[in-house]
Amino acid sequence: MAGVDTTVSQGVGDTTANTAELTKMIRTAGEALDQALHTPNVDYFGTHLEGLRNDILELFRRLLVRNPFSSHRKDAVSKMWFRAIYPTIEQYRAKIRQVEIAGQAGRSTDNAKSSDVIAVEARKQISQWRARLHTFLHASTGTLLRLVAELAEAHALMPSTAPGVLDRQTLDTHAYGLELVDSLKSELHVGLTPVQRATLAIVSKLLTHLGDLARYRTLYAKKPNDMDASHVWQLAKGFYRNAIRVAPHRGQAHNQLAVIFGYERNSLEGVFAYYRALTSQYRFIPAEANLRTILDNALRAVDKPGARSVDATSGYVYCEQRMYDKFTMLRYLFAYHQPQAKETVKQLAPLLPEAETALVAEIRRACTAFVRGVTSGAIEERQTIMAHAIQLFELQQLACFNPGDKETRMHDTAIARVSAMSVALTAHTMCQSVQSSVTESMRRARELKSEADLLSRSSRRVVAPLITTLLWIVSACVRVERDSDSLEHSVTQLKSQIMCAVRDHGLQSSIAQLKQCMEDAHGRVNRRTPLVQAITWDQARASMPVVAARLWGAHRVQRTEDELLAGWQLPDGTVWGRVEPSVPRSAAPGGNDVHRVRWWQLHCLLSLANEALPHMMDLVEKCGVQAVASDEETDVENGVETICFQGRPGALVPGQSVAVPEQSVVVPEQVVAVPESPPPKQNAAVAKQNAEMSETQRPEQATPLVDTERDEVVSPAMRAHQMLNMQQSRQAIGAQRVAGNQQAASGPLYSMQATSGP
């Protein structure tokens, strides 16, 4: 063992090693660490093991700086994190939990004096271990920040006008400074070399882990803080947001940011961030289970008796009140009907017509209330964009519009049609609001300086989400067109229902009317400047990068939607904010005026959608698809359709009944209140019935692995990958990830029966 340690020390001192030699030295150092961990009675926090971990960190640092392209391909940052940093954090956490358990056991003794002594000693030890963990987190943060600075300096990732922030002494003394990363470029920036893009991807991962370190520092602070307060998590959120800004199309940082919103009980931004993790170009799949967890918690809080009467300024109830009634319930419904959710629970049967009718009425009221809140200013611009984008994310998940998705029996046509109706109704109402404002302002056309002045203050608030919807529709049309070419000019039933919902709920006609209204207004207000030449449907379906260059490559103004939606992968594969360098970019009218830029983009997308939608309808009619419910086989027996949920009980649409053993309770026109405590386990009759089922009849259910402190759900596949990378070391230190209970991870199964009445 001494010989191995000597070899590792000599390798660390060799500054001329190439990539292959560094990789070999990292492997040798890892073997030495594993061998030391298996030594009997080894002190994990001793100087010998600490020196080996520091050697591994130094070797990884040199490898990342020397060859970032190869390091990114081999995911060297994750290997460094799980080899040299995260196991130590887990060991500190295990020690703290061990002392806490010992203190609780000591307080239960009969001798009061002895109990007090044990409690005081336990608090002292906990404070010491927390202080040591705090020191380690501070040192690790400084190490990663210096690595970020070295990468940025070595590969020119900062503009030449950036201030001199690469002062090593400043980084050593103030390890949590965010000044360094504020000036870094984005991976979506045009003109970057492959090495620079790989380096920015590495920097994004490092910033994500810096956020993890800041989050652990808050969780294990010397003086416990109120975990609900948003200001407590500002440091962690700052690192996560910078990681997103550097690489917005990578989903891991979005998921980690959503974990913070879960601590704050912020359902709006939490759900938005989880969907961003699922719809980014590089998706983070564990966010699927995390999304259902936060919605389950939010719905429990909202349905808690007396919750709405409390004058809350934060939390799940506050988010519900800021949006509209049934906001949380609708998000919960659409999340639990997504195919990814149904792969791990008993299959959800499609909605009955009666239940769908009730749900449609609920969505109509929700859409009206949402647009009213937006136009009145009750809902802020940032919240408006996030809430409406959530609707588009839900539809993209339900309708199998993520790039690479394939339709399966898990896709529910009825619930996807209802989701499309929600998007179409909201966009239709927004089109009417803009058209009314333009028509009203036409009476004083001579007083206006530009077309953007035709929009009133209330109508300007709906332009950004309307642009987002139109772009999504155009992208979906391109996707359907491509899929139909590959399927010999046929359109699948699921996607046909989506297009029919757009047509049947007035959006297609309102798009045509608003387009004509805007063109008439332009002719009266700005006669000297001709309209910008519109992009045709033939151009868009042949090359969507042309549309991307028109939207994001020409203007110089930073808009809220660009900040929130950058990196979102649309149905056809286009990434929001990415412009191909080979596509020419023309000058955009409007300059730095955000309202003029939005007016110009709105007209461009209205013209494109107005041409694309009729073509889609012709394609659907040629395939013989009807606008009514599909002819798919459903599990309906004796007029009652069973819908199984995993997570919590509750009627999600009026008129449904909750299936209870040996009885059926019908809840007319209201949502079932959720109890404060977790639902009880199945009774003896149900347990006996389940025991009699054969293995082939039982639904397969994979139990996710939960780290209760991090509030993250790790899929079995990801867990297997982590175990493969660090099998020996994690066994030696005693990893603390355990199989979560049913309530924390997924919850027991509950069945709901959709009926037409009592």
Side-chain angles (χ1 to χ4, degrees):
M1 180 173 173
V4 176
D5 294 346
T6 304
T7 303
V8 172
S9 301
Q10 292 175 353
V12 173
D14 183 10
T15 59
T16 61
N18 56 29
T19 301
E21 293 171 343
L22 285 171
T23 303
K24 184 178 180 180
M25 285 188 288
I26 290 174
R27 188 180 302 111
T28 303
E31 293 173 355
L33 179 61
D34 293 336
Q35 185 176 355
L37 287 172
H38 285 85
T39 303
N41 301 322
V42 63
D43 181 9
Y44 188 87
F45 303 102
T47 56
H48 177 63
L49 290 182
E50 183 179 357
L52 288 175
R53 289 192 294 268
N54 290 336
D55 289 344
I56 292 175
L57 276 176
E58 174 62 20
L59 291 171
F60 270 112
R61 182 197 67 79
R62 289 167 51 190
L63 177 64
L64 290 168
V65 175
R66 181 179 181 85
N67 195 340
F69 188 79
S70 176
S71 300
H72 171 57
R73 286 176 44 239
K74 296 180 180 180
D75 199 11
V77 175
S78 295
K79 294 177 181 177
M80 177 183 68
W81 171 261
F82 285 109
R83 179 56 105 173
I85 299 178
Y86 183 70
T88 305
I89 298 174
E90 286 290 278
Q91 275 293 312
Y92 277 117
R93 295 170 65 190
K95 283 289 185 181
I96 294 172
R97 282 194 292 268
Q98 182 180 355
V99 177
E100 289 174 344
I101 293 173
Q104 293 173 359
R107 285 194 295 268
S108 62
T109 59
D110 297 334
N111 191 335
K113 184 176 181 180
S114 176
S115 175
D116 293 340
V117 172
I118 294 176
V120 171
E121 184 64 25
R123 286 197 298 268
K124 184 185 299 184
Q125 292 184 20
I126 290 174
S127 178
Q128 292 174 353
W129 282 112
R130 286 177 180 268
R132 293 183 63 178
L133 173 59
H134 183 275
T135 303
F136 175 78
L137 294 174
H138 193 282
S140 300
T141 301
T143 300
L144 296 187
L145 263 179
R146 287 191 295 273
L147 179 55
V148 170
E150 193 170 359
L151 287 168
E153 191 176 34
H155 299 282
L157 299 181
M158 293 183 295
S160 57
T161 58
V165 295
L166 301 182
D167 184 0
R168 297 296 195 278
Q169 184 177 0
T170 302
L171 290 175
D172 285 335
T173 56
H174 185 58
Y176 291 98
L178 296 175
E179 298 86 356
L180 168 67
V181 296
D182 287 339
S183 57
L184 291 174
K185 297 179 181 179
S186 170
E187 196 176 345
L188 299 181
H189 190 273
V190 179
L192 295 175
T193 65
V195 174
Q196 287 179 319
R197 293 189 187 279
T199 306
L200 286 171
I202 290 174
V203 168
S204 177
K205 273 208 164 186
L206 290 173
L207 292 173
T208 302
H209 292 317
L210 283 166
D212 292 337
L213 293 172
R215 180 161 55 88
Y216 284 127
R217 188 189 180 206
T218 302
L219 285 172
Y220 290 92
K222 295 180 181 179
K223 296 181 179 179
N225 297 290
D226 184 7
M227 295 297 112
D228 298 348
S230 60
H231 65 85
V232 174
W233 305 101
Q234 287 302 320
L235 186 59
K237 289 196 291 187
F239 280 119
Y240 289 144
R241 283 172 173 155
N242 275 291
I244 293 172
R245 187 180 58 80
V246 170
H249 59 306
R250 302 185 183 276
Q252 184 179 5
H254 293 284
N255 178 82
Q256 300 303 94
L257 180 61
V259 172
I260 300 294
F261 291 131
Y263 291 149
E264 297 176 355
R265 296 185 174 89
N266 186 341
S267 56
L268 174 63
E269 296 194 56
V271 171
F272 175 80
Y274 279 132
Y275 271 122
R276 284 301 321 273
L278 291 173
T279 57
S280 299
Q281 183 179 5
Y282 299 98
R283 303 169 64 189
F284 192 74
I285 303 302
E288 296 169 357
N290 292 345
L291 170 65
R292 298 194 292 274
T293 299
I294 192 174
L295 284 172
D296 186 77
N297 296 334
L299 194 58
R300 286 179 179 276
V302 171
D303 287 350
K304 183 179 179 180
R308 296 174 184 269
S309 61
V310 179
D311 185 16
T313 58
S314 62
Y316 296 132
V317 178
Y318 176 75
C319 294
E320 172 88 1
Q321 293 173 344
R322 289 301 301 268
M323 291 294 101
Y324 48 84
D325 192 32
K326 304 297 176 59
F327 171 80
T328 307
M329 181 269 286
L330 292 174
R331 306 288 76 79
Y332 182 91
L333 172 67
F334 291 133
Y336 267 82
H337 274 81
Q338 291 174 12
Q340 294 82 0
K342 292 191 284 185
E343 290 176 358
T344 58
V345 301
K346 189 173 180 180
Q347 183 177 357
L348 300 175
L351 295 173
L352 282 177
E354 296 84 354
E356 184 177 351
T357 302
L359 181 59
V360 166
E362 199 69 60
I363 286 178
R364 288 184 182 277
R365 289 191 291 268
C367 292
T368 303
F370 175 63
V371 177
R372 187 189 302 117
V374 173
T375 54
S376 65
I379 304 177
E380 300 174 358
E381 180 186 44
R382 189 180 184 89
Q383 296 172 333
T384 299
I385 295 173
M386 286 192 293
H388 189 62
I390 287 173
Q391 291 182 309
L392 296 174
F393 297 153
E394 291 168 342
L395 180 56
Q396 186 163 319
Q397 295 285 104
L398 290 166
C400 188
F401 269 125
N402 282 316
D405 281 357
K406 295 182 180 180
E407 294 183 22
T408 65
R409 61 183 180 86
M410 292 293 187
H411 288 82
D412 189 342
T413 303
I415 200 68
R417 182 172 58 246
V418 172
S419 177
M421 186 209 72
S422 175
V423 172
L425 283 177
T426 304
H428 169 67
T429 310
M430 290 178 176
C431 284
Q432 290 182 330
S433 176
V434 175
Q435 185 176 351
S436 300
S437 174
V438 173
T439 304
E440 182 67 23
S441 300
M442 288 279 286
R443 301 175 182 177
R444 51 184 181 87
R446 295 183 178 181
E447 304 174 4
L448 304 178
K449 297 181 180 180
S450 66
E451 305 91 329
D453 295 335
L454 290 166
L455 298 176
S456 62
R457 182 176 299 179
S458 60
S459 62
R460 284 180 177 180
R461 299 188 181 106
V462 303
V463 173
L466 184 55
I467 289 174
T468 306
T469 306
L470 293 172
L471 178 60
W472 190 92
I473 290 174
V474 171
S475 178
C477 290
V478 173
R479 170 71 178 272
V480 172
E481 178 80 11
R482 293 175 183 173
D483 290 349
S484 65
D485 292 341
S486 62
L487 297 174
E488 298 181 355
H489 304 285
S490 64
V491 182
T492 62
Q493 183 74 25
L494 182 62
K495 292 181 172 58
S496 299
Q497 294 293 323
I498 304 304
M499 295 301 164
C500 291
V502 172
R503 177 194 62 190
D504 297 340
H505 293 91
L507 180 56
Q508 184 175 348
S509 60
S510 62
I511 287 175
Q513 294 172 7
L514 179 57
K515 170 183 173 295
Q516 186 62 42
C517 180
M518 292 180 68
E519 291 177 352
D520 294 342
H522 178 85
R524 295 185 58 181
V525 176
N526 195 354
R527 298 180 181 179
R528 297 181 180 180
T529 305
L531 281 171
V532 179
Q533 184 178 2
I535 301 175
T536 64
W537 167 242
D538 291 335
Q539 291 176 318
R541 65 181 178 180
S543 176
M544 274 296 285
V546 175
V547 181
R550 180 71 66 90
L551 295 178
W552 305 304
H555 65 83
R556 300 180 300 275
V557 60
Q558 179 66 27
R559 303 170 302 166
T560 306
E561 57 267 34
D562 293 330
E563 174 192 349
L564 292 173
L565 301 176
W568 171 26
Q569 191 169 27
L570 296 164
D572 72 295
T574 300
V575 178
W576 186 293
R578 170 176 288 171
V579 180
E580 298 296 335
S582 58
V583 179
R585 292 173 287 173
S586 57
N592 295 326
D593 187 347
V594 63
H595 299 297
R596 292 192 64 188
V597 170
R598 283 175 175 167
W599 171 279
W600 167 72
Q601 291 187 347
L602 178 61
H603 178 265
C604 174
L605 291 173
L606 283 171
S607 302
L608 189 54
N610 187 53
E611 187 178 356
L613 285 175
H615 179 80
M616 286 295 102
M617 292 301 103
D618 294 341
L619 189 61
V620 169
E621 291 177 0
K622 289 180 181 178
C623 299
V625 179
Q626 303 296 325
V628 295
S630 64
D631 296 328
E632 296 176 331
E633 296 182 1
T634 59
D635 297 331
V636 180
E637 191 172 1
N638 298 327
V640 178
E641 179 178 322
T642 301
I643 306 175
C644 296
F645 287 87
Q646 184 184 31
R648 62 174 302 280
L652 296 181
V653 287
Q656 288 187 344
S657 63
V658 183
V660 182
E662 301 182 358
Q663 61 179 351
S664 179
V665 181
V666 178
V667 185
E669 303 300 330
Q670 64 181 1
V671 177
V672 176
V674 182
E676 295 185 54
S677 59
K681 296 182 179 180
Q682 294 176 331
N683 59 15
V686 177
K688 181 179 179 181
Q689 181 181 358
N690 289 339
E692 295 175 353
M693 295 174 61
S694 64
E695 292 296 329
T696 57
Q697 292 174 329
R698 292 182 182 177
E700 295 183 0
Q701 180 175 348
T703 302
L705 297 172
V706 182
D707 183 339
T708 54
E709 290 291 340
R710 299 181 66 179
D711 192 25
E712 295 171 338
V713 179
V714 182
S715 65
M718 173 168 288
R719 177 62 173 171
H721 176 69
Q722 293 178 356
M723 292 295 294
L724 182 62
N725 288 337
M726 46 183 315
Q727 180 178 3
Q728 296 180 351
S729 62
R730 290 181 68 87
Q731 288 176 352
I733 65 175
Q736 298 300 316
R737 290 183 183 271
V738 295
N741 55 46
Q742 288 291 336
Q743 183 61 31
S746 55
L749 289 173
Y750 294 90
S751 63
M752 298 179 58
Q753 292 180 339
T755 61
S756 57

